[in-house]
Amino acid sequence: MKIMKIMKKIKEIEVENVKGIESRVFDVEVFPNKPTIFVAPNGNGKSSLAAAFASLKTTKIELKKEHFHKNDESLSPKLSITFEDLDGSETVVSADAGKNEIAQNFDIKVINSQLISKARMMSFGGSSKATSTIEVSPAILVNFIPEKVDLDYQISDAKVDFGKNGKVLPNISRHLKNDVLMSLVGEGVDFSKQSQVGHSKKLSDFISDINLMDGSSKSIKASIPDHSKTSILGVPHIKGVVELIERHTSLAGVDAILSAIQICKLRKRDPTKFKSFVKRSSYSVQKTEFTEIFRSLGTTWKDISPREVKGQLVVEFPKAHEISNGERDVISFVAQLVKIQVSFEKRHGILIVDEIFDYLDDANLIACQFYLSRLISEMKSDGKKLCPIILTHLD
């Protein structure tokens, strides 16, 4: 198994026995998070290169029958990538019919035309006639929609559980409905040490200090000693939730602490259910983001936007003739970009854009460039290294 360190650039791509290429080495300089454009006339191997990358499966290359060189299935396909690490060392990873070292190092994504032709047989008075339509393949943005989960939170139960002065607790029902907050709690707070004795003692001491007080809810919260607040904020998972509450709600100080304590208790009571709950919150945030992206594109009367279909989040397109070519191409391209963003898992990735830009007018070309640039920026901010390679015959 060959695993790279941190990639500086891709230096060489070699393809064997794929479509029109018998054996060819592409000497390149492909840098992460910077688009690289491969320009060549038709018939110079662009589609063969794209087919090689598109044929990569988890454990091997698996070519479609029509993609074998000279249609000869006895010729074994191969794809190799030479990259340079930051320390200057070079590594070659390859994939063939029996292995895929590339998948161990890179997420590989290929964007190409999603137009498909569908034929139908229609009967007319005993005779049949074939008709065809041009359609755009649906884009599956999320393969599995997490189920909705109820954490069974009741403020009355929380107050009883807290003790004598449970009246100080804010109702966190609205926080549990805040998908952004709860998704960040699930993704960014480390609960692995929640059950440690020291952390549990700091929590029980904090609650005991409050329950020893007398007075109204307001006066009690104002009288909590600074050392008690400092101690409870020394519990990492509580501090993490407090910081998120203060950043994403109007609460601060003691109310944020008391809200965080309740959220953490819900997590401790049933970790499995809590994880499912925040996973659904994360999905809801994603769905909202995707919907806003497509709404910003949406000049078409067909209202193309993500919809839940059979447990998946899908962008479905009308027949190609029902929207303009420009709308179709931009929306299809952006749908594929969104899908890539969702499925990008590894630190390094290669994105092949196969001649999509060749057929766009100037306005739509700029729109696609904008969304590609945004994807690159988001990958970079997440510490990812994405290598976009644009294949084109344009000058």
Side-chain angles (χ1 to χ4, degrees), residues 88-216:
S89 61
E90 291 187 6
T91 305
V92 180
V93 291
S94 61
D96 55 31
K99 70 175 185 301
N100 186 356
E101 298 169 339
I102 296 173
Q104 298 162 11
N105 294 275
F106 294 93
D107 273 323
I108 303 295
K109 310 295 180 182
V110 178
I111 291 181
N112 47 32
S113 174
Q114 297 298 293
L115 290 179
I116 54 175
S117 177
K118 286 196 172 182
R120 294 180 181 177
M121 296 299 296
M122 302 184 68
S123 297
F124 298 94
S127 61
S128 297
K129 181 181 179 181
T131 63
S132 63
T133 57
I134 299 296
E135 300 182 7
V136 183
S137 300
I140 300 173
L141 304 181
V142 177
N143 284 307
F144 175 75
I145 298 175
E147 64 176 334
K148 293 182 179 179
V149 176
D150 187 354
L151 290 179
D152 302 319
Y153 171 78
Q154 297 290 334
I155 182 60
S156 56
D157 294 339
K159 288 179 177 179
V160 171
D161 179 67
F162 191 87
K164 171 190 167 185
N165 285 325
K167 60 188 176 184
V168 301
L169 293 180
N171 190 326
I172 63 168
S173 296
R174 66 186 185 280
H175 300 330
L176 298 179
K177 295 176 182 177
N178 185 331
D179 291 323
V180 172
L181 171 63
M182 295 309 299
S183 66
L184 290 172
V185 168
E187 295 167 6
V189 178
D190 182 3
F191 288 98
S192 63
K193 298 178 181 178
Q194 185 175 13
S195 297
Q196 283 190 353
V197 175
H199 294 160
S200 297
K201 186 175 187 308
K202 286 181 178 181
L203 176 58
S204 62
D205 287 347
F206 181 77
I207 294 173
S208 295
D209 288 345
I210 293 176
N211 283 329
L212 289 173
M213 297 180 184
D214 293 310
S216 66

Side-chain angles (χ1 to χ4, degrees), residues 4 6-14 26-39 49 53 80-86 106-109 348-353 376 385-391:
M4 73 172 75
I6 300 178
M7 179 183 61
K8 178 181 178 181
K9 64 180 178 180
I10 296 172
K11 297 186 66 176
E12 190 175 279
I13 300 173
E14 183 176 3
F26 297 87
D27 293 315
V28 298
E29 281 198 331
V30 178
F31 291 91
N33 301 320
K34 294 181 180 180
T36 300
I37 302 176
F38 289 3
V39 182
L49 181 65
F53 278 98
S80 299
I81 300 173
T82 302
F83 55 84
E84 180 181 328
D85 289 325
L86 287 180
F106 294 93
D107 273 323
I108 303 295
K109 310 295 180 182
H348 299 85
I350 297 174
L351 167 61
I352 306 293
V353 181
I376 293 170
K385 291 182 174 290
L386 177 66
C387 296
I389 300 174
I390 300 170
L391 308 179

